[in-house]
Amino acid sequence: MSPSAITNGYGNGNTNGHHDGVSNGHQAEALNLSIVGIGVEYPPYRVGPEALQTLADRYYPKSPALTKVLSVNRFTGIETRAAIGEVDHPLVNQPNAPSITELNAYFRDEGVRLSVNACRKAITEWGGSVDDITHVVSTTCTNSANPGFDHYVVKQLGMKSSVEKILLHGIGCSGGLAAIRTAANLALASIVSNGSFGEEQAVEPVYNILGWRHEILNDTEKDLGFDVDPLGWKVVLSPRVPQVAAAAVSPAFQSLMESLPELEDHGKIPSPAEFDWALHPGGSTILTGVETAMKLTPEHLRASYEIYMNYGNSSSATIMSVMNKLREMGEGKENVIACAFGPGIAVEMMALRRPRKLDGLSMEDVD
């Protein structure tokens, strides 16, 4: 659980967004889309791999299957994970696993609180008022109750009751980028229809959005997802996911670059190594697989590795944590590729540009 929020500025206005081989993309020409605030909020406690071993020893008899699970858990490369409590928390210290009802109650409390805090951080960085927010695009993989968690987040943030909410479901770890893409498409549609999107505001962008690519890989529905289980969501993850994901990145990157001619150098498409990469850290084999397939180095993926080692995979919100970490790491390459995979298997890819600085001024302010 690690809600993140992004405030997006589109055209002359703003909106707030938190995540048969059909594909689509959008080129950058005259998009004028920017991310103007990012907020990340993790739970306060940190637990290591030993926490699972402790709980297993307390409540479960030894078995070959459990021994294998605990072994895998020790060698994921994740040093700590964020949690709402420590290993002695009552939720995980009872004879039977918590019910969906109990989990839902915790999410309604803890999850909404974290989301509200993340949104407040993003809104503060943007510098605007919640009264100016017209649309909210959200996603979660943790809950599916109605009304959605976004209803409570909007209410606690004090937004207008007329704000238009869109809650994305069923998209797993690709949810963060899917939410940004959806918000961007909403903004573009509004600009086309009305000629503007809100009132003009001078806002320093965190990232400018150049374009994006969305694609569903054929015949991969059974490889990645969540199934409904009496105790909650049951992860579906086939052994071929890292290989499928790594193989899909290069075609997606090629298609995205072909839609962005302004990035070409004398007609030559830039190489993957010319970008910093904000890759959703779905697992160590995902990170190393994409690194190898795209001929990158760990430095290109430094933010993804950092988040993975210290927080693990927090599903849809994680890509925003990576994007935030990347900018906190100081100056890097001007252009960034954000990429995530979700059930379907879905591939989400987005090209971003950092605002350049010149003698302390943003290049956006230089005529």
Side-chain angles (χ1 to χ4, degrees), residues 38 49 109 127 153 199 205 228 234 357:
I38 300 179
D109 183 18
V153 172
E199 298 179 357
V228 178
K234 184 177 181 180
K357 303 289 183 179

Side-chain angles (χ1 to χ4, degrees), residues 163-214:
V163 69
E164 297 186 28
K165 304 188 297 295
I166 298 173
L167 178 56
L168 305 180
H169 178 67
I171 51 178
C173 293
S174 63
L177 281 182
I180 300 173
R181 170 175 54 81
T182 300
N185 275 314
L186 283 172
L188 288 175
S190 179
I191 293 169
V192 170
S193 299
N194 304 319
S196 67
F197 196 71
E199 298 179 357
E200 184 173 357
Q201 302 202 16
V203 179
E204 174 72 15
V206 178
Y207 293 106
N208 293 314
I209 300 175
L210 304 181
W212 56 84
R213 177 78 178 174
H214 167 75

Side-chain angles (χ1 to χ4, degrees), residues 19 137-142 166-182 214 216 224-226 280 315-317 340-348:
H19 284 159
V137 182
S138 310
T139 184
T140 180
C141 301
T142 313
I166 298 173
L167 178 56
L168 305 180
H169 178 67
I171 51 178
C173 293
S174 63
L177 281 182
I180 300 173
R181 170 175 54 81
T182 300
H214 167 75
I216 299 295
L224 181 63
F226 290 106
H280 170 79
S315 201
S316 55
F341 308 97
I345 290 174
V347 181
E348 295 282 353

Side-chain angles (χ1 to χ4, degrees), residues 53 57 60-64 66-67:
Q53 180 73 58
D57 291 342
Y60 295 93
K62 296 186 183 301
S63 70
L66 181 58
T67 299

Side-chain angles (χ1 to χ4, degrees), residues 235-302:
V235 175
V236 176
L237 184 64
S238 81
R240 75 186 196 119
V241 167
Q243 180 180 358
V244 170
V249 175
S250 182
F253 176 82
Q254 183 74 17
S255 296
L256 179 58
M257 291 300 101
E258 289 173 355
S259 73
L260 301 172
E262 71 275 19
L263 295 181
E264 295 180 2
D265 182 11
H266 296 91
K268 182 180 178 182
I269 291 176
S271 72
E274 294 178 53
F275 297 80
D276 275 333
W277 282 68
L279 177 66
H280 170 79
S284 60
T285 52
I286 294 288
L287 291 171
T288 56
V290 171
E291 181 183 317
T292 300
M294 303 305 288
K295 296 181 172 58
L296 304 174
T297 67
E299 177 66 15
H300 289 99
L301 297 164
R302 58 194 179 280

